[in-house]
Amino acid sequence: MLKDYESFLENLNRVQERIDRAIVAANRPEGSVRLLPVTKNHPVAASNFALRAGIPCVGENRVQEALGKIEEANEGVRWELIGPLQSNKAKKAVESFWRIQSVDRPKILTALQKRAEDLDVKLRILLQINAGDDPNKSGAKVEDAEALLEYALEQDRLETEGLMTIAPLDRDPSVARSCFARLRECRDRLAERFDICLPELSMGMSGDMGEAILEGSTLVRVGTALYGDRKYK
Ligand SMILES: *Cc1c(COP(=O)(O)O)cnc(C)c1O
């Protein structure tokens, strides 16, 4: 973890420069890619740093870890779940997260809808798609995305804002890039099929955000490049 806020700002500037360069290379409009700092395995200070720098949303990949931090963090941080969710944690998740990016099966949709009804709230979600067909990654298969979205759209308490994917780890950057292209094409097909927008494409991390932005990412989820190695846990 970082020593202090100043070192966070230095890293943030470097990451922002990488994002800006990729936006120019992709010929996309300025400001069309947002940054989601990923604070998992870092102390709660990581989320407070982001908030102080004007970035309210942060990503966490484990419900249990996030719950502890949500208690402690400064007022105003918004938490996004980017890791696996079990349906028995759905209630806590709906109460605690501003958006859930890792929805990948009908059972979770049913559980979230029910909890959102109980709490009388609406919940933003993204559907996680395994666009790289990586056996080590969760996410619905691309072939199942249409049925999953159809079911998601029937849940009136859930607002489906787009898709999320995690690219396979590979030294060859073209592997990640084709995964991101596949997610974008999947989104375009679904948007046309259901006549909806699906504006958010959450794709790209510290190692592959350039490729993701070239393929249309609107949200890059960045941990290591902002906060250093996650070695303390
Ligand atoms: C950890 C994680 C990230 C951030 O990864 P870095 O390589 O540290 O930038 C992004 N997305 C998900 C889903 C993660 O679990």
Side-chain angles (χ1 to χ4, degrees):
M1 175 58 185
L2 298 164
K3 296 191 303 291
D4 52 29
Y5 182 62
E6 302 314 314
S7 4
F8 172 72
L9 281 187
E10 281 170 27
N11 288 351
L12 178 60
N13 279 334
R14 271 195 290 270
V15 168
Q16 199 56 58
E17 277 167 20
R18 282 175 66 189
I19 293 174
D20 292 344
R21 273 199 302 274
I23 288 178
V24 169
N27 221 339
R28 296 180 50 193
E30 207 180 303
S32 53
V33 181
R34 281 170 312 110
L35 170 64
L36 182 73
V38 174
T39 52
K40 69 179 186 206
N41 292 22
H42 291 294
V44 70
S47 54
N48 294 335
F49 284 172
L51 181 68
R52 189 168 158 198
I55 307 174
C57 287
V58 299
E60 282 283 332
N61 77 328
R62 286 170 49 230
V63 177
Q64 210 53 45
E65 179 183 337
L67 293 179
K69 293 182 191 174
I70 292 172
E71 290 279 299
E72 289 173 44
N74 291 345
E75 189 87 33
V77 178
R78 290 180 191 155
W79 304 85
E80 297 206 35
L81 183 63
I82 58 174
L85 176 62
Q86 311 300 325
S87 39
N88 62 6
K89 296 238 175 80
K91 178 160 182 283
K92 279 278 174 226
V94 174
E95 286 169 356
S96 312
F97 291 100
W98 183 78
R99 182 164 67 176
I100 296 178
Q101 300 200 5
S102 46
V103 178
D104 62 357
R105 56 195 190 278
K107 192 176 171 197
I108 294 294
L109 286 164
T110 308
L112 293 175
Q113 163 75 15
K114 181 171 184 312
R115 294 315 180 185
E117 262 171 19
D118 294 347
L119 295 163
D120 196 19
V121 294
K122 267 210 145 193
L123 177 71
R124 299 171 182 82
I125 61 165
L126 301 181
L127 301 182
Q128 182 176 352
I129 308 296
N130 189 356
D133 287 333
D134 182 344
N136 303 312
K137 298 273 157 36
S138 39
K141 290 187 185 141
V142 171
E143 306 85 81
D144 296 336
E146 182 175 327
L148 187 65
L149 176 61
E150 182 164 35
Y151 189 61
L153 295 175
E154 288 166 12
Q155 314 305 319
D156 63 354
R157 296 297 178 140
L158 307 181
E159 193 66 57
T160 308
E161 299 184 327
L163 306 181
M164 182 272 241
T165 201
I166 307 170
L169 256 188
D170 199 299
R171 290 164 70 156
D172 176 1
S174 72
V175 172
R177 186 155 177 184
S178 54
C179 167
F180 299 141
R182 207 157 164 241
L183 190 74
R184 174 176 42 78
E185 288 154 12
C186 177
R187 188 276 310 272
D188 292 348
R189 266 197 315 279
L190 295 174
E192 190 174 336
R193 159 79 179 76
F194 293 96
D195 197 20
I196 52 175
C197 244
L198 298 176
E200 192 84 288
L201 274 184
S202 171
M203 54 189 202
M205 324 201 307
S206 293
D208 54 21
M209 63 177 120
E211 284 74 24
I213 291 169
L214 286 172
E215 293 299 342
S217 172
T218 58
L219 186 70
V220 289
R221 310 175 306 265
V222 179
T224 312
L226 287 174
Y227 298 112
D229 291 333
R230 292 179 283 268
K231 50 180 167 275
Y232 95 101
K233 252 184 191 165

